[in-house]
Every structure is written in C-alpha cells, then in structure tokens.
Amino acid sequence: GVRGVVAVDGPAGTGKSTVTRRLATALGARYLDTGAMYRAATLAVLRAGVDPDDAGKVLAVVEATRMLVGTDPLGPTIELADPDPADLERTEDVAAEIRGPEVTLAVSPVSAVPAVRELIVAQQQQIIADVVAAGGRIVAEGRDIGTTVAPAADLKIYLTASAEARAQRRVDQDVRAGRTASVEAVMADVRRRDTYDSTRKTSPLRKAEDAIEVDTTELDIDGVVARLVELAEQAG
Ligand code: C5P
C-alpha cells in the first residue's frame, strides 16, 4: 500500500469529518475533506445560475472553477479563486457557505457527473501525492477514497451508523452552526443523498473490499477517534 495515506469513507452523518480531523491531528498528518471540494464546485454551479441536473453546463462551470484547498487538520480551508491563474490574490473563503442547504441539496447531482469527478479526483490525487512526496502523512475522507482516489492507501476505514443516529448528528451539527433543522427533514435528506450517492454509476459510495468497517452508532466521538488511532498504529 501507499504509506502515509489513510482513507476514511462512509455516508453522511457518521461524524466522519470530526473524527477524521482529530485522527489527522493525532497522527501529525494533513487532512483532506473531499466532500468540501464537491460542495465548492456545486456553489460555483449555483452562482453561475446553472441547473445542477444539466451535466454539460455543470461540467463547463467546474472546468472554469479554480479552488484552493488547505489541509491543516486544525483549520482546513476551502477557497474559490479567480479563474485567471495570474490573479492568485483574489480568493474567497467559502467554507461556511458550502455547508448551507442550497449546496447540500444540489451537491449529489453535481458530484454524479463523471467528468466532474475526473477533474476533482485528479486534484485530490495531486494534493495527496504532494504530501506523500514530502514525506508526510495524510488522512483523506469522502465516499470513494478507498475505492478510487487512493485505492493503494495503507489503511482504509469505512464508517457506518444507523440512519437515525446519522440524522441526529447532522441536526446537532446544524444547531451548533446556528441553523435550525428537524430530525425528520434531516433524515429525509440523509436518505436522499445515501440513495443518490450509492446508486450513481461513477464511483458510487461503497466499502472497499480491504476497508475496515467501524460502526459508530453506539460510540461517541472520543470512542471513534480512539478506535481509529488504534487502527492507524497497527497499520504502522
Ligand atoms: O462529505 P459531505 O457530506 O460534505 O459530501 C457532500 C456530497 O459530496 C456527498 O453527498 C456526495 O454527493 C459528494 N461526495 C462525493 N465523493 C466524495 C465526497 C463527497 O461524491 N469523495
């Protein structure tokens, strides 16, 4: 396997982002949130006034979008940049906006476009390769890290939890971020995205054969982090 790469996949609401950041911090590793990249691409699509289901137009927007991704687990950043590569100064922090309901509603169709995935996966693989080439470690989280982005990762983890537990966690997360949400509405959204993400043709959400499944339903954040750190130590 590729030393230095830990892949963490699973559906929405397993606490994946929180535990993955904490795992990266504990390992002294970098952290890559691949979902944030699909969300930033989706924000660009919405801002361009393009229908998220219009694959051709979606691709054109994503091709013209430049995003900058910061991989510090204590403060990961995601910015949209001016498409002119000479103009590196003009970047916009979109970390908060990409978590809003408009983006969440539109992200699945955008991320299901095969050519969009190709572009974004290539950027993710470059980020990972740069860290590994510099002798570092990186923990990458998403839906297809173990299967597609980093199939040779030396440790693959697949996080699961019951749909009820996942919906409740999303609600807690929204409330902390100052947004109100009902468990029913969030559960419907979690199920909608699960179905969409697991049934799409290109890189559907699924557990890699060699991934270790960790069911987080009965565990708190500390418990999950401890389990993942233990797995990472065993993997070397
Ligand atoms: O992880 P997060 O919930 O922020 O991801 C948002 C959406 O981005 C997912 O529902 C999925 O449609 C897409 N995604 C993906 N592949 C990834 C990460 C996220 O298709 N590796």
Side-chain angles (χ1 to χ4, degrees), residues 34-35 38-39 108 111 117 143-144 170 193 197 200:
T34 63
Y38 290 100
R39 286 173 178 273
S108 285
S111 65
R117 300 198 69 83
R143 303 290 190 287
D144 62 342
R170 270 283 145 125
R193 282 203 291 149
D197 295 345
R200 71 176 175 224

Side-chain angles (χ1 to χ4, degrees), residues 151-173:
D154 52 7
L155 174 62
K156 300 180 186 179
I157 291 158
Y158 193 82
L159 294 181
T160 60
S162 70
E164 291 74 13
R166 294 190 288 119
Q168 187 58 56
R169 285 173 192 167
R170 270 283 145 125
V171 169
D172 295 346
Q173 201 177 326

